[in-house]
Amino acid sequence: MMVPIALTIAGSDSSGGAGIQADLKTFTALGVYGASVLTALTAQNTQGVQGVLPVEPSFVTEQIRSVMSDLEVGAAKTGMLATAAVINAVVTTLKEFPEIPLVVDPVMVATSGDVLLQADAIDAVRHVLLPRARLVTPNLPEAARLLDATLAETEAAVEEQGREICSRFGCKAVLMKGGHGTSVDAVDLLIEGSGKTLRLSTPRIDTRHTHGTGCTLSAAIAALLATGADLETAVQRAKAFIQDAIEHGARNPIGKGNGPVDHLYAIRRHGPPV
């Protein structure tokens, strides 16, 4: 049996709760082999980001080509790309592999509020990265920033912004994440360019321990796409996975600030290996 393989192209989180580390934990928890391309190093913990060191774009390209020349990657995702030069390098290199679906988490700001994307890189996200995406997974502030719009406050406004992201930037589908909303339930909307909308609702969990939620959700979707799941199934299963990861992370907080979700709850649930 061929082992499914997913690739994460993202920054490192030295505290392990987000970024490359969260993605690889998620891949593992879902039974998918994880490969990684580092775009930046961060000095980071649950209380904030103390420093960012971007990787040279040429070396990002070298990493991608090295992985792709050897591994049968079934899906890829991007997270923190940091600079316009890195975004351009990633998209230019991925043009060599057009058959691989790409999930884009348009990381701009960390849970702590620290900025993770240079201001001049936002246009590169809009016009270079998003057109390559099979799916884009913005939270509500990110969606508003992409559109230079006000924060959507109603479900109808969220859906309207999702459709505008699809039509304006050419991505095939958008998952508008409702974690920053104020409704009783956390409502996500999967909006496809074809016009179809899927509403996904789960009870909102009252916790501040949500570090890495965006990374984890997008990684879960990429992992499930790598297994051959269709987009709708992958999003539904990933939504259930992140819900449980948040719940378990809230029960067992790590760090002194906004702790991470619990990526490995599913592995522990089945007991230690023999």
Side-chain angles (χ1 to χ4, degrees), residues 82-266:
T83 69
V86 168
I87 292 168
N88 280 293
V90 168
V91 174
T92 298
T93 311
L94 287 179
K95 286 179 181 177
E96 301 169 18
F97 313 97
E99 73 285 357
I100 295 176
L102 180 68
V103 178
V104 171
D105 181 12
V107 175
M108 298 180 185
V109 179
T111 301
S112 60
D114 295 284
V115 176
L116 297 175
L117 183 71
Q118 294 180 2
D120 65 353
I122 295 176
D123 271 347
V125 171
R126 292 174 177 137
H127 303 296
V128 178
L129 185 60
L130 296 195
R132 174 60 178 82
R134 176 66 184 89
L135 177 70
V136 184
T137 62
N139 58 35
L140 299 186
E142 288 166 345
R145 184 69 184 89
L146 287 170
L147 295 169
D148 280 331
T150 57
L151 191 73
E153 296 184 352
T154 67
E155 195 169 314
V158 171
E159 183 171 358
E160 183 178 351
Q161 287 194 354
R163 295 202 178 282
E164 188 173 356
I165 289 171
C166 274
S167 62
R168 188 187 296 188
F169 304 124
C171 43
K172 297 178 179 64
V174 177
L175 179 64
M176 298 287 284
K177 300 180 299 188
H180 286 75
T182 57
S183 59
V184 174
D185 293 333
V187 178
D188 297 351
L189 298 178
L190 175 61
I191 300 160
E192 301 196 53
S194 62
K196 184 178 180 181
T197 297
L198 176 67
R199 186 179 188 271
L200 301 161
S201 178
T202 52
R204 190 178 296 278
I205 299 170
D206 184 16
T207 178
R208 65 187 176 93
H209 300 294
T210 57
H211 183 55
T213 49
C215 304
T216 302
L217 178 62
S218 56
I221 295 169
L224 292 162
L225 290 175
T227 69
D230 61 69
L231 181 63
E232 186 172 309
T233 300
V235 169
Q236 288 175 319
R237 289 181 58 192
K239 171 79 168 173
F241 177 82
I242 190 63
Q243 181 76 2
D244 286 344
I246 293 171
E247 183 177 340
H248 284 79
R251 293 178 192 168
N252 303 289
I254 291 173
K256 300 175 182 176
N258 299 308
V261 303
D262 185 352
H263 307 89
L264 303 183
Y265 77 90

Side-chain angles (χ1 to χ4, degrees), residues 29-41:
L30 293 171
V32 172
Y33 182 88
S36 62
V37 168
L38 279 168
T39 59
L41 305 178

